[in-house]
Each structure stands twice: as structure tokens, then as C-alpha cells.
Amino acid sequence: MGVTHFSVAFKNIFTITINILCIVAESISSRTFIIMNSLATSKSVRILSMTTEKLTKSKLWNSYGEYTNKINKRNISNNYWQKHKPLVIYIPFLGASKSAISKYVDLYQNYGCRVIVHQPKTIDIVWPATALKNSYEFLVNIEKNLQQEEQVLVHAMSFGCFFYSLILMNISAHPQQFQTFVDNMRGQIIESPVVGSLKEMAIGLASSIYKEQIVRRNMLQMSCMLYFALTKPFTVKYYNEAIHSFHTKPLKVASIMYTTENDPMAIPAEFDKLVENWKRARIDVSDKVWTESEHARILKTHPREYQEHIHKFLNRVLEINPKFTSKF
């Protein structure tokens, strides 16, 4: 049996396992839910189809996945500012709601930035070979459309950090192809990264699908661990390579790293190690462990302080005038 047949078989095993566990969970609870049987048959999702999802009934995305809600756009008279708006690439957490994404988009649009959102898919996590291809296609699309002086900032959250690590892998493998992107990078915000072992990854995946259904979440977590064991040659290898790239091959630009206290998806020692590795690489890193908050919910629990931190960072790394004055 060839590698292709093995990969299809393993994806089918994972899907069948999830379906069985979901059926058992359904017998415990009377609520109906959707069985995610599309995992076994999902094809590689191309960048344009992934980034043109509508956030509301009105069309808020252009063909490059750029958020174009005109209601929140500010009238800025400075011609240079208009022509050279910074580009923010926002990679949210897995399963992020439309309203949650909008809050971060508004945060950057109110500053005067253009925003492109790439929302991770479950298939990106359970079959990382597809994610690596998707991240390459995404990066090619960005590189092709970047202007020479266009400043770029990346904000990745939770499993979005995994997708960003795959972007870093592609940059490392094809440095000349993505030279404009690297040259234009001004800052990166790494928020609530899933750092640790496969256990933390399984917790994160299960929590993103079943946020409040504890029984189903625990069963899916066990299913994920079984899946990782069965597909080790095809999945764990990519996870390890992505983690290594994230630790050792970051872009050397000003950075923010945020995590939360008692985050079940992040081992504190591993987060500290990540920060230390970046600082050892002589990267300007500002790190913070937020208290009284949850995984990827810092903006929700500390809106005032969070926005002040982000705007202060933008004012420091973006060489554009007029600078933004926070209302807080």
C-alpha cells in the first residue's frame, strides 16, 4: 500500500472515530450537533476560497480576503498615509466567530490599516501537509500583491500561530521567492500560542470544536491523541518541524508575545523557552502573561489595557504619520 493510500486510510480512521464518539455523546445529551465527517474527504482549500468568507450578510471581503467594511474606515487627509496604509495579516484562533474576528479587524482599521484575515481550518491541524501547502499558496498570493514600500504586520492567535509557523517554514525554504514580504515586515504579535506537547494540541483542537460541552470535548481529545499515534509519520513530523521553525527561524522584527495564566493549551516553561529563544536571536520581544483571562480572550477580558498595548506597539513599529492617538 502506497503513502497516498495510507494517508487516506488514516484520515478515514480519524473521521470514523470522531463519528462514533459523537454518536455516543449524542446519546448522553439530547442536543443535536453536526458530525464533522467532511474531514476525510476535504480537499486542499485554496487561499481565495478560504479568505472570501462573508462576516455578515453584506460583502465585507474583496478578492484578496481584505476586510473592506466602509463603515469603519476613517477619512485620513494625509496623502502618504492613504497610499501607504500598513497591511495587517490577522490569523485568528481555530473556530473564531465572525463577531470575534470583527473586533480585531476594527482594532486595526481604526488605526488606519488594511486587514487581511486567514482563518485556520480544522483540516490544517489534523493534516498538516495540506496546511503547509495552503500556507505556501497564501504567502505566494501576499507576495504577489505587496507594494514595494508597504509595511506588513502579522497577528497570529492560538492555532493561528501554527499556521504562521508554516509560513515561516516556507520563507526559510524559499527565501528569495518571499524577499519582499520579509523586507516589508515590521512587527509580529504572537498571542496565546499553543505550546507544549501533543496533549496541548489535542486539548486545543477539542476545545475549539466543543467549547462548553465537556463530555464531548474530553472524548474528542482522546480521539485526537489516538489519531496522532496512528498518523505519526504523516502528522507529528510536521508538528515538530513547525515548532522547531517557530523557535529557531523567526523573522527578526519587533514582536509581542502574550499568553494567559493557567492556559490549558500552553505549558508555562515552553512559553518562556519560546520567548527566550527569540530574545537570544536578538529579536526585540515584549512578553506578558495576562491574569484573570482565558486562552485567546485577552481583548474580551481586558479591552482597555489590551488596545492600549497594541496601539503603543503599532506607533513604535510603523513608520507612518500621523501617529494614532488612543482614546483610552
Side-chain angles (χ1 to χ4, degrees):
M1 185 181 290
V3 174
T4 302
H5 292 95
F6 267 119
S7 64
V8 173
F10 281 132
K11 283 196 280 188
N12 285 333
I13 288 171
F14 181 58
T15 304
I16 291 170
T17 303
I18 289 181
N19 284 340
I20 292 173
L21 292 175
C22 286
I23 291 171
V24 174
E26 181 63 23
S27 67
I28 298 174
S29 172
S30 59
R31 289 186 178 181
T32 58
F33 60 98
I34 298 174
I35 297 176
M36 301 184 65
N37 56 12
S38 61
L39 287 178
T41 57
S42 294
K43 295 181 179 179
S44 298
V45 185
R46 297 199 176 276
I47 179 61
L48 294 183
S49 65
M50 295 180 72
T51 57
T52 54
E53 181 181 358
K54 296 178 181 179
L55 290 183
T56 66
K57 293 181 180 180
S58 60
K59 294 182 179 179
L60 300 180
W61 298 90
N62 66 15
S63 60
Y64 302 113
E66 182 179 355
Y67 192 92
T68 56
N69 184 1
K70 295 182 179 180
I71 297 176
N72 292 323
K73 285 190 173 180
R74 312 175 89 193
N75 293 322
I76 304 174
S77 59
N78 188 293
N79 290 331
Y80 183 84
W81 179 244
Q82 280 283 7
K83 293 179 180 179
H84 299 81
K85 283 187 177 182
L87 171 64
V88 174
I89 298 173
Y90 175 53
I91 313 174
F93 51 94
L94 187 67
S97 66
K98 297 171 183 178
S99 61
I101 292 175
S102 296
K103 289 181 175 62
Y104 292 90
V105 171
D106 289 346
L107 173 66
Y108 289 110
Q109 279 200 336
N110 287 337
Y111 187 89
C113 298
R114 296 194 304 116
V115 182
I116 289 179
V117 177
H118 178 90
Q119 188 165 15
K121 304 293 183 181
T122 305
I123 191 65
D124 289 336
I125 309 302
V126 300
W127 205 248
T130 297
L132 186 62
K133 178 182 178 182
N134 288 337
S135 65
Y136 175 81
E137 293 177 350
F138 177 80
L139 196 55
V140 167
N141 190 51
I142 294 294
E143 177 78 13
K144 181 174 64 176
N145 291 283
L146 271 180
Q147 302 299 317
Q148 193 65 33
E149 299 181 7
E150 188 171 16
Q151 299 172 95
V152 179
L153 183 140
V154 173
H155 185 162
M157 299 179 65
S158 187
F159 273 118
C161 297
F162 172 70
F163 189 84
Y164 183 46
S165 70
L166 297 178
I167 288 178
L168 296 178
M169 285 178 61
N170 282 308
I171 291 174
S172 178
H174 311 281
Q176 294 183 345
Q177 183 177 358
F178 302 117
Q179 190 62 53
T180 301
F181 179 86
V182 174
D183 291 343
N184 290 16
M185 273 290 291
R186 295 294 182 270
Q188 49 197 351
I189 299 173
I190 308 301
E191 183 174 344
S192 295
V194 179
V195 289
S197 63
L198 290 177
K199 178 181 177 181
E200 281 67 43
M201 186 170 289
I203 291 173
L205 182 58
S207 299
S208 67
I209 295 175
Y210 294 129
K211 295 180 175 63
E212 299 180 357
Q213 298 164 316
I214 298 176
V215 173
R216 296 171 186 171
R217 184 171 67 232
N218 290 340
M219 289 195 303
L220 182 54
Q221 180 184 334
M222 291 186 291
S223 177
C224 288
M225 294 301 294
L226 173 62
Y227 173 75
F228 293 149
L230 291 172
T231 63
K232 185 175 181 179
F234 310 104
T235 56
V236 178
K237 179 187 74 171
Y238 286 94
Y239 300 145
N240 291 336
E241 289 178 358
I243 292 171
H244 178 75
S245 180
F246 204 51
H247 275 266
T248 62
K249 300 177 182 178
L251 297 182
K252 296 185 177 182
V253 294
S255 306
I256 285 178
M257 280 195 187
Y258 288 156
T259 190
T260 54
E261 194 174 42
N262 301 319
D263 187 342
M265 304 179 206
I267 298 176
E270 289 298 319
F271 177 80
D272 293 341
K273 180 181 177 181
L274 178 62
V275 173
E276 183 59 32
N277 284 339
W278 281 31
K279 288 183 177 180
R280 191 178 295 116
R282 300 193 177 186
I283 296 176
D284 178 9
V285 181
S286 173
D287 61 291
K288 180 177 174 66
V289 178
W290 295 74
T291 59
E292 299 179 1
S293 187
E294 298 178 16
H295 180 82
R297 293 189 178 182
I298 304 173
L299 175 59
K300 183 177 181 179
T301 54
H302 302 282
R304 182 189 186 105
E305 185 179 0
Y306 181 90
Q307 292 184 63
E308 286 181 341
H309 275 247
I310 297 299
H311 286 152
K312 183 178 179 180
F313 180 70
L314 296 178
N315 279 337
R316 181 164 67 90
V317 302
L318 298 179
E319 301 173 358
I320 293 291
N321 287 311
K323 293 295 186 181
F324 182 84
T325 302
S326 175
K327 296 180 180 178
F328 298 108

